[in-house]
Amino acid sequence: MVPLIAERMDDQFQQAHAQRMQQKKAQVDAAVERSRALQGVVVLLTGHGKGKTTSAFGTLYRALGHGQRAGLVQFITGTQSNGEVTFLLQQGLLGQGAFARVAYHAMATGCTWNSQGWAADKAAADIAWQAAQHMLADASLGLVLLDELTFMLEYGYLDASDVAAAIRARPPAQNVVITGRNAPPVLLALADTVSEIADTRHAFRAGIKAQAGLDF
């Protein structure tokens, strides 16, 4: 008798599960049906947790996989190598010209707590922003990644209203991904998709050294 009861319970479970999945499918299908607009979006990855730039590069690689060209500006990256950019170089995808798969500019001053020179950082930020503006006006770029842009606004190197205006004026089909902590209200209001990554725990605070291939 016990096997018979178990079989009936299993049948009941299977039926209930099938009903739940049918309801879920109907909800997903309805959401897909409502989403008919095709346009470029602004994705903002913020918060104090690890993984914002990593996620953004994953989106850039996804765009490349679909045959798109991309633009990349890294605003506080120093001169040290990092795995994401090194990989693009190894594949011959990174460059400055109109035919590069990934148009690239690095501010190359490093973190502001290293340089400690506001005027020099401001000048470097202006040059990086000029490169970003060219990318944001280039309809041949399907995606533009503005890595650590939020720091430029937080420290007053760039004007938030100017940045927002350039992003709004971009080609209609162009997607933009912005990363960085402490995103200001103007970016939060502008973005179509906002993800905030929380800092629950980090190995570095436990004394574990940053590792190539994992952290940079």
Side-chain angles (χ1 to χ4, degrees), residues 4-216:
L4 179 60
I5 294 175
E7 181 179 347
R8 289 176 178 174
M9 291 180 62
D10 184 63
D11 289 341
Q12 292 173 354
F13 173 82
Q14 295 292 345
Q15 292 173 2
H17 175 75
Q19 291 175 353
R20 288 196 301 270
M21 293 303 100
Q22 289 173 359
Q23 293 172 355
K24 181 66 175 178
K25 183 179 185 304
Q27 294 171 357
V28 172
D29 289 346
V32 171
E33 183 65 23
R34 291 193 300 269
S35 304
R36 292 298 186 92
L38 184 60
Q39 65 183 54
V41 301
V42 178
V43 178
L44 175 61
L45 304 172
T46 190
H48 289 266
K50 173 180 170 59
K52 297 179 289 293
T53 293
T54 306
S55 174
F57 267 93
T59 304
L60 185 146
Y61 294 146
R62 176 178 289 168
L64 293 176
H66 284 283
Q68 298 178 21
R69 294 184 64 236
L72 168 61
V73 179
Q74 292 188 291
F75 280 96
I76 65 168
T77 301
T79 57
Q80 76 279 4
S81 63
N82 60 75
E84 299 94 337
V85 172
T86 298
F87 178 78
L88 292 172
L89 284 169
Q90 290 171 345
Q91 302 304 310
L93 299 174
L94 210 62
Q96 302 289 342
F99 298 102
R101 288 291 305 281
V102 181
Y104 179 61
H105 180 91
M107 190 168 155
T109 57
C111 300
T112 53
W113 53 86
N114 288 330
S115 63
Q116 300 179 9
W118 192 91
D121 285 347
K122 166 63 176 167
D126 286 339
I127 294 172
W129 176 238
Q130 288 174 8
Q133 286 178 297
H134 286 299
M135 296 178 191
L136 291 168
D138 187 347
S140 74
L141 299 178
L143 181 141
V144 174
L145 168 52
L146 305 176
D147 189 35
E148 307 290 7
L149 174 65
T150 62
F151 286 95
M152 302 300 99
L153 306 181
E154 182 178 2
Y155 294 120
Y157 298 143
L158 300 177
D159 181 81
S161 60
D162 291 342
V163 170
I167 294 173
R168 290 193 186 98
R170 74 193 189 279
Q174 187 183 82
N175 297 309
V176 177
V177 181
I178 300 167
T179 72
R181 300 182 179 188
N182 303 323
V186 65
L187 291 185
L188 290 169
L190 174 65
D192 300 287
T193 298
V194 179
S195 294
E196 185 169 358
I197 301 178
D199 180 13
T200 303
R201 185 181 299 112
H202 200 298
F204 183 75
R205 290 197 296 273
I208 300 175
K209 186 176 181 179
Q211 303 174 48
L214 178 67
D215 298 294
F216 59 90

